[in-house]
Amino acid sequence: DQVPMLRKVEALLTDAKCPWSYAHALADRMFKVSRVQWLRHDQLHSLVSALQVDANRHKKDANA
């Protein structure tokens, strides 16, 4: 089920103050899939990981 992963994407986007279009563009760039909702589970997991790495990077920059 993709719902928990999609909620995680939404939470990460909200924290980063990014629109859903950012996640769709990232999915397109990473997997050539134009909508996050169309990603396979493994692709969705990779997208969440990329968004989390970005969030951690910005958090680290803010604390420096």
Side-chain angles (χ1 to χ4, degrees):
D1 192 28
Q2 290 186 323
V3 173
M5 295 295 279
L6 291 172
R7 287 186 181 147
K8 180 69 173 176
V9 170
E10 184 174 29
L12 289 166
L13 291 172
T14 300
D15 287 347
K17 296 178 177 71
C18 292
W20 271 97
S21 60
Y22 178 78
H24 295 310
L26 194 57
D28 189 45
R29 191 174 321 132
M30 290 174 71
F31 308 110
K32 305 295 185 233
V33 176
S34 60
R35 301 283 299 175
V36 172
Q37 293 84 349
W38 298 341
L39 293 174
R40 295 187 320 259
H41 182 74
D42 60 316
Q43 293 170 326
L44 189 55
H45 183 74
S46 294
L47 180 77
V48 168
S49 295
L51 289 169
Q52 186 64 60
V53 166
D54 188 55
N56 293 346
R57 184 178 302 127
H58 284 94
K59 183 177 179 182
K60 184 177 176 182
D61 291 344
N63 291 333

